[in-house]
Amino acid sequence: NTGLFINNEFVTGAHTIDTINPSTGKLITSVQAAETEQVNAAVDAAEKAFYGGWKQSNPRERSRLMHKLTDLIERDAEDMAQLEALDNGKPFGFSYAVEIPLVLSQLRYFAGFCDKLHGKVIETEGKLSYTVHEPIGVCAGIIPWNVGALMLAWKVAPAICCGNTIIVKTSELTPLSALKIAALVKEAGFPPGVINIITGYGPTAGDALSRHMKISKIAFTGSLPTGRAIMKAAAETNLKKVTLELGGKSPNIIFDDVEDLDKAVWYSLNGIFAIGGQICFGGSRLYIQEGIYDAFLEKFKAMAAARKVGDPFNDREAEQGPQVSETQLKRVLSYIESGKAEGATVYHGGVRKGDTGYFIEPTIFTDVKPDMRIMKEEIFGPVVAITKFKDEKDVIAQANDTTYGLAAGVFTSSIKRAITVSNALEAGTVWVNCYMQVDSNSPFGGYKQSGLGRESGEYVLQDYTQVKAIKINIGL
Amino acid sequence: MVQPDLQTVRLSNGKEITVHTHLFINNEFVPGHGPLIETINPATEEVICSVHSADEQDVNAAVNAAATCFKDTWRKVAPAEKARLINKLADLMERDRDELAILDALDNGKAFTVARDVDITDSIACYRYFAGWADKIHGKTIDTTFDKMCYTRHEALGVVGAVIPWNYPTMMAAWKFAPALAAGNCIVMKTSEITPLPAYKFAALVKEAGFPAGVVNIITGYGHTTGNYLSGHPLVSKMAFTGSTATGRKVMESSSTSNLKKLQLELGGKSAQIVCADADLDQAAEWACGGIFNNHGQSCNAGSRILVHESVHDQFLELFIKHTKAMIKIGDPFEEDTFQGPQISKAQFDKILNYIEIGKKEGAVVSYGGKRWGNKGYYIEPTVFTNCHNQMRIMREEIFGPVVAIAKFKTIEEAIDIANDSDYGLAGSVYTTNLDTAITVTNEIKTGTMWVNCFDVFDQSTPFGGYKQSGFGKELGKYSLQEYTQVKVVKILRSSKI
């Protein structure tokens, strides 16, 4: 299916967008794209669905539909993973064994929450006072291209659980897996207009969603500049609620009392090179204490050198596929050049791999300084900058010296150090002796300019409901 | 010659009091580098005194003081100690209740008795309520997989910025300070340049209570300068703003271009009070009267539209006017029996009188009031418009004065539609004796607070905040703590198998 999914139908858009296979640089197919007119149609559909029965829907019915959708995604998991691998370039194994199971767990977690949205009864004088946590209404989600299927689940699951209707705009770079899910939405039996899935460009379709007067909440995952634009657009229009999940420059700190060096290397390597480094919480600044520096770096380099980079379809052994697009390829390569120009050492990699497809060798920089661009700016590629450090206090200061605050890693066997350092790090998630452990029931989101609001877990429900206090006079 | 901090001010009853006029930064009263701003007594239209205002340099000094204090001191103070300090502050406010009330009445124009018995009393209750939360801010442990230990911490944000309005000077400050302090933050607050005096008295009590220097910083200045510097400051992690929707937009835009600081906006309203045919009409009229005329109509949650079932309209109107006459005694704020003082300023005074003209032009009927009261001070008669419909400007735009617009409805569905036909969604009420009507109407109105058979009843423990363009985020209650904390999840893996 390549249409816009509005009101349970695949419809024509304003124009089409080509989606490219980043392993080959060749066209996969073209999909319909939305402009303002189609966005308006989607909002109308979502609004009609909300007031036409969804707002008053029985929570158990919402739960049943969410479970049905999840079962269908599970039935078609292999197709879904293949579409993600084809469209994004990530290894099929990653999508099938990691990403799709997280999609399923997110949907099932929130399917179980639908009938557990509790307000409170609050004791006050002479009154019955209580709160109700109501759905907000029509919500919008704008999702990125790195883990498209998962990001779709992270927006749809809590929105639907709380009784809202939703319009999700996928990235024009990776529209395909979401359109597959769209077909399953209809098959599962969701009423028309409850879930709408469209694609389009950010400055047109995305902007139209940000400014729409009938959208009461927008959730965005993507870059910092676009996050700013969305908040500004909300300020200029109807003050819709905004949650943002933006970039990161997450520090990963290896202390010399790390318990299992091989494990630390494995987590750290995957923590930056997974999906070609195209993850918002990538541990892109690696801090290694001087006592363990040489040993860690040797193992890290060996693992990087052994990493298989290739087409996820033709090479089932591939651990890392291409970057998602030519634009991203050029961007990452230009950051590598800036690292060299600013005096960092390319310890491994640092070049494009091959001539077709957008592949980059896993790249390690050493001899880095804190003010280098490769240490300050989000590269979103398979590039890690490694710093040697002496003591705890110093590394905490360096780790926190960023406008981002999405995640962090700490490797140590000392309980005191684990707790002290994780307390001190300005990040929304701190992983201790692991990295990139994502669970549907724990909250995820950024400190500082990595964003606003939390996704997953009970915490996200706050962002998809609005609280009304009702106070009934019984004795005043 | 820099104006000294302490100034002597004479009240209308001849009494003299001393007020602070400097900025309060790092537990000291320091001169500001912005222009001197005159603060006017709205009852006499005369200048009370001038106060210092903050320029960009002063805002930086205040924010830096808060940031340094948070990093070095305040975040290390045990929650129970924070609670003790907030309670001590409440005790001092109780001791100096009258003095605080005098300043609210003098600078704002509200009746002294109201300032004392409502504003200051509720402010003290707010501090005591949140003091109790300081050591009860809980994270969770979350069972994810067997091999991980996973927990959340609800951490303080650091430096919080607050901009408060002039309508409840001491109470609006309390609604920001109390949860912010309980959650462990340091604060820089900009008061309204129209009512700067009460907060400086409060500042002296902050120091006396023993708060470390830099926890509470209070400045004043214009919105488009001082307020703007604060909204855009990179070291401020959150802005809490109460004021107009127009300025709320600017605060949000400022966040988007600076550091995406967390936001909480409490903006305007055009709340509807719905009077059903089966209501106890006399009770409804009395509550509805307070609902619009409390605080001279200068409340964001004012029940400024009254929708009355056509079968009881005339009867209700008669009772409403009866209660208005009985309840609303206009006079000098310092007279014992005054209910309604002057409006806050010449600008507001002109704006309200203009809306009264607009109402007349739109075809609404002035059933009571409609004019200035007296010839000195910004006094306006409580004004009742009837024969209104929901497309009139006096039914759609926030007037922020003692002006109510009354319209009829035929069916409860119609009343709900009219009530919801607004860009605002702050409060509202329904007067009925029928259970189904009460539950249905409260469910259907898109607003943050619904009162049933009452209005304007506030508790420290219940959340307050708007739907739609009345803003987002909650004040008061446990809900407000979410606005002043950020969540960190820590996930510790303990297995040795990959």
Side-chain angles (χ1 to χ4, degrees), chain A residues 238-258:
Chain A
N238 67 342
L239 293 168
K240 53 174 65 60
K241 283 161 248 319
V242 175
T243 54
L244 304 173
E245 207 271 270
L246 309 175
K249 195 72 186 178
S250 302
N252 186 13
I253 307 171
I254 320 291
F255 287 95
D256 56 22
D257 64 359
V258 61

Side-chain angles (χ1 to χ4, degrees), chain B residues 165-484:
Chain B
W166 45 257
N167 55 348
Y168 300 89
T170 301
M171 202 163 79
M172 289 295 98
W175 284 21
K176 307 279 184 286
F177 280 134
L181 291 171
N185 301 287
C186 292
I187 306 139
V188 177
M189 173 175 291
K190 184 195 89 65
T191 58
S192 167
E193 73 283 6
I194 301 176
T195 52
L197 300 177
Y200 286 144
K201 161 71 187 169
F202 170 82
L205 299 183
V206 165
K207 183 170 181 174
E208 191 185 338
F211 280 87
V215 174
V216 172
N217 304 276
I218 303 176
I219 59 180
T220 199
Y222 295 111
H224 62 276
T225 49
T226 315
N228 210 30
Y229 300 136
L230 195 55
S231 302
H233 204 289
L235 293 183
V236 171
S237 300
K238 173 224 162 84
M239 274 300 287
F241 172 79
T242 299
S244 72
T245 298
T247 310
R249 292 182 189 292
K250 295 209 178 74
V251 172
M252 192 171 186
E253 223 182 292
S254 192
S255 168
S256 79
T257 53
S258 61
N259 65 343
L260 290 171
K261 52 177 63 64
K262 201 164 145 115
L263 292 170
Q264 178 174 8
L265 303 180
E266 209 270 272
L267 310 175
K270 196 69 185 180
S271 302
Q273 308 194 54
I274 300 174
V275 181
C276 299
D278 62 8
D280 178 330
L281 288 182
D282 191 51
Q283 289 266 314
E286 192 174 355
W287 284 108
C289 189
I292 174 57
F293 297 130
N294 284 341
N295 214 42
H296 328 169
Q298 298 171 139
S299 289
C300 41
N301 55 280
S304 48
R305 293 182 289 159
I306 305 181
L307 312 178
V308 187
H309 191 271
E310 57 182 6
S311 68
V312 294
H313 175 274
D314 295 348
Q315 197 184 346
F316 175 82
L317 182 62
E318 201 182 310
L319 290 164
F320 186 85
I321 292 175
K322 177 191 99 178
H323 281 291
T324 302
K325 285 181 179 149
M327 197 189 292
I328 317 291
K329 163 111 189 358
I330 307 179
D332 181 279
F334 289 96
E335 268 156 37
E336 196 63 26
D337 57 352
T338 295
F339 179 91
Q340 180 177 319
Q343 306 309 119
I344 186 71
S345 67
K346 178 90 176 45
Q348 287 296 320
F349 175 79
D350 288 342
K351 185 173 173 231
I352 297 160
L353 288 177
N354 188 43
Y355 268 112
I356 293 174
E357 287 316 302
I358 289 170
K360 289 184 204 167
K361 282 200 187 70
E362 291 183 305
V365 172
V366 177
S367 295
Y368 189 81
K371 308 187 297 299
R372 182 184 194 178
W373 181 92
N375 43 31
K376 186 168 169 203
Y378 309 124
Y379 293 91
I380 296 180
E381 294 176 336
T383 299
V384 180
F385 274 107
T386 51
N387 199 43
C388 301
H389 63 77
N390 212 45
Q391 301 319 306
M392 288 178 175
R393 287 182 63 190
I394 59 168
M395 285 281 277
R396 302 200 75 78
E397 297 171 28
E398 194 182 36
I399 299 174
F400 227 65
V403 179
V404 70
I406 303 185
K408 291 181 188 172
F409 67 87
K410 285 187 163 56
T411 63
I412 201 68
E413 288 79 13
E414 193 193 337
I416 290 167
D417 284 346
I418 295 171
N420 281 337
D421 178 21
S422 167
D423 287 335
Y424 294 113
L426 190 51
S429 66
V430 60
Y431 302 92
T432 176
T433 50
N434 181 278
L435 174 70
D436 281 0
T437 305
I439 306 296
T440 303
V441 173
T442 53
N443 280 2
E444 292 298 311
I445 309 293
K446 293 176 197 155
T447 193
T449 297
M450 275 298 289
W451 284 292
V452 178
N453 295 331
C454 58
F455 203 93
D456 247 9
V457 183
F458 281 87
D459 301 277
Q460 304 309 324
S461 51
T462 54
F464 180 82
Y467 278 31
K468 303 195 283 187
Q469 292 184 43
S470 285
F472 44 79
K474 291 298 183 200
E475 306 204 79
L476 304 180
K478 187 181 180 190
Y479 289 90
S480 67
L481 297 174
Q482 291 165 13
E483 312 290 340
Y484 288 96

Side-chain angles (χ1 to χ4, degrees), chain A residues 109-407:
Chain A
Y109 179 79
F110 285 102
F113 240 132
C114 298
D115 57 356
K116 303 175 184 69
L117 305 175
H118 301 147
K120 304 172 195 271
V121 172
I122 301 170
E123 280 307 313
T124 62
E125 233 186 290
K127 302 186 292 294
L128 170 65
S129 294
Y130 61 97
T131 59
V132 286
H133 293 199
E134 303 188 332
I136 300 179
V138 177
C139 300
I142 298 181
I143 62 175
W145 44 259
N146 55 350
V147 276
L150 183 59
M151 291 296 99
L152 183 76
W154 276 27
K155 306 290 185 271
V156 168
I160 298 303
C161 167
C162 296
N164 303 289
T165 56
I166 189 167
I167 301 134
V168 177
K169 183 197 89 65
T170 60
S171 165
E172 70 280 9
L173 293 176
T174 54
L176 297 178
S177 63
L179 291 171
K180 170 83 185 146
I181 291 175
L184 299 181
V185 162
K186 182 170 183 174
E187 190 184 336
F190 277 90
V194 170
I195 301 174
N196 305 277
I197 300 173
I198 61 178
T199 200
Y201 293 114
T204 50
D207 189 64
L209 287 168
S210 309
R211 291 183 183 280
H212 206 291
M213 297 300 280
K214 296 212 168 136
I215 292 175
S216 302
K217 179 247 159 62
I218 188 159
F220 170 75
T221 300
S223 74
L224 177 54
T226 308
R228 292 184 187 289
I230 289 177
M231 188 188 252
K232 186 152 187 277
E236 288 168 357
T237 53
N238 67 342
L239 293 168
K240 53 174 65 60
K241 283 161 248 319
V242 175
T243 54
L244 304 173
E245 207 271 270
L246 309 175
K249 195 72 186 178
S250 302
N252 186 13
I253 307 171
I254 320 291
F255 287 95
D256 56 22
D257 64 359
V258 61
E259 178 147 11
D260 183 332
L261 190 58
D262 289 318
K263 188 178 81 159
V265 168
W266 189 92
Y267 277 113
S268 303
L269 188 120
N270 281 283
I272 178 56
F273 295 139
I275 321 182
Q278 297 167 131
I279 31 175
C280 45
F281 51 75
S284 49
R285 292 183 292 150
L286 188 50
Y287 294 89
I288 310 172
Q289 200 164 26
E290 52 185 13
I292 199 88
Y293 185 85
D294 291 334
F296 185 98
L297 191 54
E298 194 185 322
K299 285 178 186 273
F300 191 87
K301 177 180 171 159
M303 202 179 267
R307 190 167 172 78
K308 294 187 176 62
V309 178
D311 180 331
F313 274 99
N314 290 328
D315 182 357
R316 281 285 161 132
E317 303 254 303
E319 293 166 295
Q320 179 178 316
Q323 307 309 116
V324 76
S325 68
E326 192 178 357
T327 307
Q328 287 298 319
L329 170 81
K330 288 189 168 130
R331 190 159 170 267
V332 175
L333 289 175
S334 100
Y335 270 111
I336 293 173
E337 287 316 302
S338 90
K340 293 182 202 164
E342 287 187 299
T345 303
V346 177
Y347 192 76
H348 180 79
V351 291
R352 182 181 183 181
K353 180 176 170 155
D355 307 305
T356 48
Y358 315 127
F359 300 89
I360 299 181
E361 295 283 356
T363 298
I364 304 171
F365 273 106
T366 52
D367 301 315
V368 302
K369 299 221 166 18
D371 52 4
M372 289 180 176
R373 287 185 63 208
I374 56 169
M375 281 287 277
K376 299 215 84 68
E377 298 173 30
E378 191 184 36
I379 299 173
F380 225 64
V383 180
V384 67
I386 299 187
T387 303
K388 189 191 291 190
F389 75 92
K390 268 193 166 47
D391 66 55
E392 203 174 285
K393 198 156 167 245
D394 171 44
V395 77
I396 289 169
Q398 287 191 66
N400 282 338
D401 180 21
T402 167
T403 53
Y404 288 113
L406 191 51

